[in-house]
Amino acid sequence: MHRTPSRRASVLVAAVSSLSLLTAGCGDDDGSADGDAATNGKNAEASPNAPTRTGMTIGFLPKQVNTPYFDVADAGGERAVKELGSTFKEVGTEQGSDAAEQVAYINQLTEQKVDAIAVSALDPNALCDSLKKAMDAGIKVVTFDSDTKPECRYAFVSPASSEDIAVRQLELLGEQVDYQGDIAILSAGETATNQNAWIASIKQELQDARYKDMRLVDVVYGDDEPEKSYEKAEELLEKYPNLKGIISPTTNGIKAAAKYLSQSESKGDVKLTGLGAPNDMRPYIEDGTVDAFVLWDPAKLGELAGHAAVALASAQVTGREGQMFLAGDMGWFQISQNGVITLGEPTVFNAGNIDEYDF
Ligand code: RAM
């Protein structure tokens, strides 16, 4: 469903024998001050041919536990970590908005001396001090799904570029509302790095001439909680009687908004798109509440995060641009600017293809 890594693998494998030259040594491409754990770490020696360390413990800290998206993502991480001979440990809370809880879990994982932490950040800043302490203690930190500031982790496993994800959602809504009228966004947590990056890109894209007759009237936050998101959707429709469409860039938000719309008079009239999981959204595609939405495969995202965590903890990579690592069957991945590792391109789901997916 996304760019197939194996297609890239043949090209990338050919390049790998010369990689130790590229990845070793102490470049200064980060440009940050001395003494910064992530910067020093990124400049440490690494080789894609270093043996994979086994017997490690890799901590996964999603935004939220016991929610379908992260259940699937973390199961992907667990599969990768176990296959590579290490122990997977998931921690986190059921709330999708409490960054302080995430800090407590990071501190706990640091005290427990795990070898690496993979975290989806509820806030770009709030986690930084604790993540820096973890890195100072020798723990390799990778973010996945939702990033921190680059100096607070070694690498970020991103589903796709922010622009691709945002632009695709706005294009879908534009097509559905004939590029006219008031629209709103129903987001997740107010500080969520990923949602805020996408919202910024949507606002930017709205400046394009083809969106001149569309107006973003509000951005509201359901905190990735089903009931709160449902209420926020309801409030949007009450407050903006002329609302033509909603973008909800969160699996919990779009599901809750679809539930509300499917039971309301506005079903089919007020358009809804965003980021949804096919299994959550299938009933709403079938009953005509939703025409199309976007996502990537969360299992693959988690799997890639697991591979990246183990590669970091095995000194196969340090998070510097240009480095490469093998992510099992998914093939070789290359680290780009600012330590970003991109899974691929998002997929659009609609009535024509939704039954091909099961997650
Ligand atoms: C929710 C979370 C997650 C986001 C997806 C699309 O599950 O907010 O961070 O990536 O939606």
Side-chain angles (χ1 to χ4, degrees):
M1 58 174 287
H2 50 80
R3 190 170 45 177
T4 315
S6 56
R7 224 183 298 141
R8 288 175 298 157
S10 52
V11 184
L12 299 181
V13 165
V16 146
S17 51
S18 56
L19 268 177
S20 16
L21 281 176
L22 274 175
T23 56
C26 39
D28 56 1
D29 52 346
D30 293 287
S32 321
D34 284 349
D36 180 319
T39 305
N40 293 341
K42 278 179 189 164
N43 290 337
E45 300 239 342
S47 162
N49 302 319
T52 297
R53 281 180 60 202
T54 56
M56 300 190 290
T57 301
I58 312 296
F60 263 64
L61 173 55
K63 276 181 170 178
Q64 224 178 345
V65 293
N66 297 333
T67 189
Y69 175 87
F70 284 110
D71 285 349
V72 175
D74 288 5
E78 180 169 18
R79 193 165 50 247
V81 169
K82 282 189 175 162
E83 266 171 26
L84 294 168
S86 283
T87 301
F88 169 91
K89 182 186 170 97
E90 186 197 57
V91 292
T93 63
E94 297 199 359
Q95 278 190 340
S97 57
D98 195 344
E101 289 279 0
Q102 285 201 310
V103 169
Y105 277 112
I106 292 163
N107 294 341
Q108 194 187 86
L109 291 169
T110 304
E111 277 163 29
Q112 291 168 349
K113 298 189 168 46
V114 297
D115 297 278
I117 296 174
V119 53
S120 171
L122 281 167
D123 186 302
N125 304 306
L127 277 51
C128 271
D129 286 349
S130 57
L131 289 177
K132 282 182 174 171
K133 279 188 199 129
M135 292 191 292
D136 283 340
I139 296 170
K140 303 303 175 196
V141 173
V142 57
T143 48
F144 72 103
D145 177 70
S146 182
D147 201 8
T148 56
K149 291 195 287 196
E151 64 268 31
C152 309
R153 46 66 172 167
Y154 294 101
F156 168 48
V157 175
S158 169
S161 78
S162 286
E163 294 75 22
D164 277 356
I165 295 170
V167 165
R168 209 63 204 94
Q169 293 174 77
L170 188 59
E171 271 173 3
L172 285 177
L173 191 60
E175 286 161 13
Q176 292 168 14
V177 301
D178 291 329
Y179 296 91
Q180 270 177 11
D182 292 351
I183 63 165
I185 293 176
L186 167 58
S187 189
E190 203 163 347
T191 60
T193 327
N194 53 348
Q195 268 87 17
N196 285 342
W198 300 327
I199 292 168
S201 293
I202 288 171
K203 286 182 177 167
Q204 175 73 35
E205 186 66 10
L206 276 168
Q207 307 302 314
D208 190 278
R210 71 181 153 151
Y211 298 115
K212 66 178 181 0
D213 296 325
M214 279 168 70
R215 194 168 65 106
L216 178 64
V217 292
D218 212 346
V219 180
V220 296
Y221 302 89
D223 287 344
D224 269 344
E225 289 170 20
E227 278 162 28
K228 186 167 180 190
S229 305
Y230 182 96
E231 284 162 15
K232 290 288 167 187
E234 187 173 17
E235 280 167 26
L236 277 177
L237 267 82
E238 278 166 10
K239 192 165 169 194
Y240 303 101
N242 292 325
L243 198 69
K244 291 285 178 290
I246 299 174
I247 294 178
S248 187
T250 140
T251 56
N252 296 311
I254 193 174
K255 184 182 176 186
K259 185 175 169 193
Y260 173 73
L261 282 174
S262 72
Q263 300 160 346
S264 86
E265 288 174 351
S266 303
K267 175 180 163 189
D269 291 336
V270 174
K271 299 296 181 184
L272 170 67
T273 190
L275 303 177
N279 288 350
D280 284 346
M281 299 303 290
R282 188 167 290 107
Y284 305 114
I285 290 277
E286 281 169 3
D287 77 2
T289 305
V290 172
D291 294 343
F293 60 95
V294 186
L295 199 69
W296 46 89
D297 184 344
K300 294 276 176 219
L301 187 73
E303 201 173 328
L304 186 54
H307 278 285
V310 171
L312 281 163
S314 302
Q316 290 164 350
V317 293
T318 61
R320 280 181 57 202
E321 186 176 355
Q323 294 175 330
M324 296 169 80
F325 65 101
L326 183 60
D329 294 345
M330 297 170 75
W332 287 89
F333 281 80
Q334 185 162 36
I335 300 180
S336 58
Q337 210 183 10
N338 277 328
V340 178
I341 301 159
T342 303
L343 177 66
E345 282 158 22
T347 297
V348 174
F349 302 93
N350 55 32
N353 69 355
I354 193 162
D355 286 336
E356 292 163 29
Y357 299 92
D358 186 15
F359 61 87

